[in-house]
Amino acid sequence: MRAFYHPSGRGPKHSHFPWGWKGVWQLPSFLLLLLGFSTGQRVVTVQKGPLYRVRGSHITLWCKVSGYQGPSEQNFQWSIYLPSAPEREVQIVSTVDPSFPYAIYTQRVRSRGIYVERVQGDAVLLHITELQDRDAGEYECHTPNTDERYFGSYSAKTNLSVIADTLSASMAPQVLTRTEGDMVELTCEVSKSTAQHTHLSVGWYHLQGIGEHHAEEVLTLSKDFVLSPGPSYLQRFLAGDVRLNKVGNTTYKLFISGVQLRDQGQLYCEAAEWIEDPDETWKDISHKQTGRTSLVVMSWGRDLSVDIAAAQSSLSEGDTLQLHCTVGSQKSSSRHFQVLWLLDGMEVARVDPKGVLVWEEEYEKKAKLGQVRAFKQSNMVYVLTISEVGLKDNGMYQCSVSEMSTPGDFHSYQTNLSSGIQVNVKPKESRMHLSVSTSTPQVVAGDALILLCEVQGATSPVSVQWWHLPPEHPGARVLVATMEQDGTLSLGSTYRDSRARGSLRLEKASSGAFTLVIPNTLDEGDGGQYWCKATEWFRAQSWTEEGETAVRVSSMGLGLQATLRSRIATVTYGKSFELVCQVSANYSLEEVPTSVGWFFQPSPPTGLYYELVQVFPSGAVAWGAAQPHFQGKAQLMKTAPSFRLHIHNAMAADEGTYRCEVEVWRRSTVPLGQPAATTRSNAVGIKVVLPESKLRVAAKESSVQTAAGADTAIECRILSAHNNSQLAVTWYLLPPPGGAAPLQIVRADYSSVLEYGAEFRSPAQKSRFLSQRASSSAFWLQILSARPRDQGRYYCVVEEWLWLGDGWYQLGEGTSGRTMLELKLPERQLQLEKANHSISAREGEDVTLHCLLQGARLPSTHLSATWFRGEDRLLTLHRDGTIEYPWESLAGRLHLRRPAAGDFSLTLSRVEGHDAGVYLCQVEEWQELSEEKGWALQALARSGYTQLTTIPTELTALTRICSSPPLLNFILTLPLVLILLLALAVFCWYFKFRKNKKGSSTGDELMELQGAGGVKKT
């Protein structure tokens, strides 16, 4: 398998292609055919999955195409199908179209965080320089068609899973001083907790010179558990002087026996985690390096040796530099040394034999601020520490050791200068990353939002900004709050009014945790995306990271519902009843300001509800003015989440339909202004049963017989009723024969107001029929001057009314038995023609119906006559000569003539079709007995029947025309149209005649002129 250099690593890596790129192009064509790669069919191949790669690592995916037509340089397009939407393609990067990436990848593609490396014209590598969790999914490599026709595969897919980097390697940085031949023991702790099956490799590396970047391999335990020494340590490994022992699961120890001078330098441990891909190749998915241990090896036989070492020589701005100067000599504890620290040959500080420290002027200021420190650790070891190094601290550091004969001596008798150690200070690079989350992803308007922004890896002060993107305004972010690096807090203009959302808090809970609390959300608009923008500040530089989280704020109307119920729907008058308004919602109603309004629609329903009472969240109560009687007897109770209305002493006015309306406000707000949500309950009907009626009316049948013309009375007896009730009585007459409908005579209501029926409203009838209350238990109907037509069965209907606090209510009614009124008719009969007749009359004509009294009548008597059509009375001629017309519509067409005494013939003018029927007359003879006794009926008689038949009028031609407006209009219009057409024809004929005549005259005149003078026409 060929190898190539991976740009993201430190050395050669195995290719993920099945063979080296050059190997593919060097294969014979017949072998390509055997492998299935014919030029006639396009085949796209992508790295086989599933692949597991570590978050934050630099990864590559290869893709190649074969069997294509067209140019040798093919284009590639990479897309991803995310697990959250496996059917949706998200475009990442293209070799041909800069606008190909979707918005979420645009910035990473522009900044070369994601790019495509073309290895050959038809093979590429997709690079993701810093793998993120959201990069997990199914990747698709697509090649646009360059063939003459579509044939083969144009895309291929592979799965990539992003896993956490659990590999750790640690070895404490230290400075070791050893003499030649001593043993060096180094311990490296390596562990992992990856769920997938992986292997570890652990190795030690040696950097010889200061500033040296090429590390020399000492000894490595490979992923296959094989020990492999570096070339420089092979013989010593074979001799057993270089060993690697694994102690337990995580501890690896390196032993170097007989340390040599060339071992001096820096040693570190490097661990790698390997995973086997589906193509059976092993891929290193994570690397970790430990801190470096400086090893100083002192040689025997030199009187004074000076070595300098650094825990780390490659630093970033803000790191700490620690240098150790080691003096090697015989019996060094009794000797006196002065040490100078030098940077690029310039003195930084000196430590005299007594340990007194003297700084160079520039460093003296830093020393006072605690930024630099130098001290004598022992007579052999001297330490220089520079905190928060800057770019000015770059350079070559050395230490110079001078030996003095005495501590106060200013002259040294030997001096030695250490080798130089190059310290490289790189510009500050931020390792900051953040995560944004919320403990309140779904809240209801009025609840608090708690948002957390965790900043990790920052080594310098951090400032934080919170931004909000409302759901209804995508793209327009609103500043919520800012915390500067010194802790100063400021709020965005929208969030400064604490009365709206409460007092916003942005707190720094720990070194990197910033918590934003919005105590009181307003509405759905407070939902959406919240961005945390963290900026790390170092001197004049800054680095920014952003993260976001989504929050949903639901309306308080979500699921808000009020249900009204009552245990009883029918309540007895004077008893109590209770209505319960149960409130529910999709959220907790605890501490939610709630008001309830009670509404009432009296019975019978009108569609209009009146407000009874409103209970506010503060407990205040406001009574409505429309139904004031409730205020004194209604009791209001609240037992969350329900409200109760208890009505005492129910009365008829309480009968009707009830409902409740509930209003809610946001939590932690003063419930003023418009509520956040309102709901209306179902309607519940309450029926109030009135007191039971005690009315009993005598139902015994009876009869009354009286002489015609005499006064009589019909009794209606009350057997029982409430003591404080009032009674209304209505009198009815059932005239003979038995099947006739009852006629209302008169009604006396409980206030004794009289109302007469339609048949008894004439003054004459009102004067004859009188209703009066004879006693507390009896009503009478007085009939004055009883007449034969008054005969029939009489009865009364009594209603019992009771005052129930707010009005009169009918409790019940009772009907009496029938009382038959019979008149004693006189024995003498008048002589009327009894023969029955039939008569026909054409509509529109007049007809006379005869009624002739035959024989003599008594002297000093008066006659009265009444005409009937069927059972309907048409007119009555009273004995005093007055005529009564029960039917006003017929008064103009009925004429009673008396050409001679005893002739009561009736003339019906302008006969109509509905006048057909059976007519008869009744004649009565009256005589005044005395002023006291009045008039008495002496005799009566009824004529025979006259059958009137009406004949419809036949339509003549003229009447047919007149009765049809369209035909009449046609006949009137047709002559006019004909006249106009005739006039137009005459005019046209006349105009044509004049034109012909004029032309003839002109021709003759011209002919005459030509003959006379020889003038020719031109």
Side-chain angles (χ1 to χ4, degrees), residues 19 23-24 27-38 43 66:
W19 44 79
V24 174
L27 286 174
S29 60
F30 73 88
L31 183 56
L32 289 174
L33 289 172
L34 290 176
L35 293 173
F37 298 99
S38 69
V43 176
S66 63

Side-chain angles (χ1 to χ4, degrees), residues 599-610 654-659:
F599 292 83
F600 171 65
Q601 177 182 236
S603 182
T606 61
L608 180 62
Y609 279 83
Y610 299 96
D654 301 337
E655 181 175 316
T657 306
Y658 294 80
R659 75 178 183 208

Side-chain angles (χ1 to χ4, degrees), residues 712-727:
T712 186
I714 308 297
E715 184 181 55
C716 179
R717 181 159 296 279
I718 309 301
L719 302 179
S720 65
H722 284 280
N723 292 333
N724 53 348
S725 65
Q726 297 290 335
L727 301 178

Side-chain angles (χ1 to χ4, degrees), residues 135-164:
D135 295 330
E138 186 178 42
Y139 283 75
E140 181 181 46
C141 175
H142 173 74
T143 60
N145 182 35
T146 59
D147 308 331
E148 293 180 358
R149 61 190 180 95
Y150 282 93
F151 185 47
S153 65
Y154 289 81
S155 65
K157 295 182 179 180
T158 187
N159 274 300
L160 173 66
S161 297
V162 180
I163 60 177

Side-chain angles (χ1 to χ4, degrees), residues 78-89:
W78 287 89
S79 302
I80 186 173
Y81 295 83
L82 299 174
S84 58
E87 301 299 324
R88 179 187 174 199
E89 178 187 11

Side-chain angles (χ1 to χ4, degrees), residues 9 61 90 99 151 157 174 227 274 301 313 397 415 512 557 577 589 628 662 684 764 773 821 850 891 899 1004:
L61 298 175
V90 180
S99 65
F151 185 47
K157 295 182 179 180
Q174 54 185 322
L227 284 173
W274 297 75
S313 61
Y397 285 84
T415 299
F577 65 93
L589 290 169
V662 177
V684 171
R773 188 164 187 171
L821 175 62
H850 296 286
D1004 292 343

Side-chain angles (χ1 to χ4, degrees), residues 376-511:
K376 178 180 178 181
Q377 184 172 313
S378 67
N379 206 35
M380 294 177 60
V381 180
Y382 297 81
V383 180
L384 172 66
T385 303
I386 302 177
S387 302
E388 296 187 7
V389 296
L391 297 179
K392 291 183 179 180
D393 297 317
N394 265 316
M396 183 72 72
Y397 285 84
Q398 294 173 291
C399 64
S400 173
V401 178
S402 301
E403 185 174 4
M404 308 295 185
S405 57
T406 62
D409 194 355
F410 291 100
H411 300 283
S412 62
Y413 59 86
Q414 69 170 331
T415 299
N416 200 357
L417 181 65
S418 74
S419 60
I421 183 170
Q422 179 67 38
V423 173
N424 296 314
V425 180
K426 296 180 294 184
K428 174 76 173 181
E429 293 182 359
S430 176
R431 300 179 182 273
M432 176 182 67
H433 64 275
L434 58 81
S435 62
V436 183
S437 61
T438 176
S439 59
T440 55
Q442 290 189 353
V443 297
V444 178
D447 291 348
L449 280 184
I450 303 175
L451 305 166
L452 178 63
C453 182
E454 292 185 278
V455 180
Q456 297 176 340
T459 57
S460 302
V462 175
S463 65
V464 168
Q465 286 184 334
W466 279 98
W467 295 82
H468 176 219
L469 178 61
E472 68 274 11
H473 300 296
R477 294 201 296 184
V478 179
L479 178 64
V480 180
T482 300
M483 179 177 281
E484 304 295 345
Q485 56 264 39
D486 60 356
T488 304
L489 177 64
S490 61
L491 300 179
S493 58
T494 309
Y495 295 84
R496 289 174 188 164
D497 187 1
S498 61
R499 294 172 298 179
R501 296 177 176 85
S503 299
L504 267 71
R505 303 193 307 275
L506 178 52
E507 302 169 345
K508 187 175 182 180
S510 61
S511 59

Side-chain angles (χ1 to χ4, degrees), residues 56 102 158 162 165 185 234 243 317 353-354 397 527 577 598 704 722 755 761 830 849 892 907 946 962 967 1006 1014 1017:
Y102 280 7
T158 187
V162 180
D165 187 0
E185 177 183 337
L234 178 58
R243 309 188 311 275
E317 284 183 281
K354 296 181 179 179
Y397 285 84
F577 65 93
W598 293 95
V704 174
H722 284 280
E755 179 184 358
R761 288 179 182 170
L830 294 176
L849 307 175
T907 301
T946 300
C962 293
L967 182 60
L1006 289 174
K1017 290 194 293 183

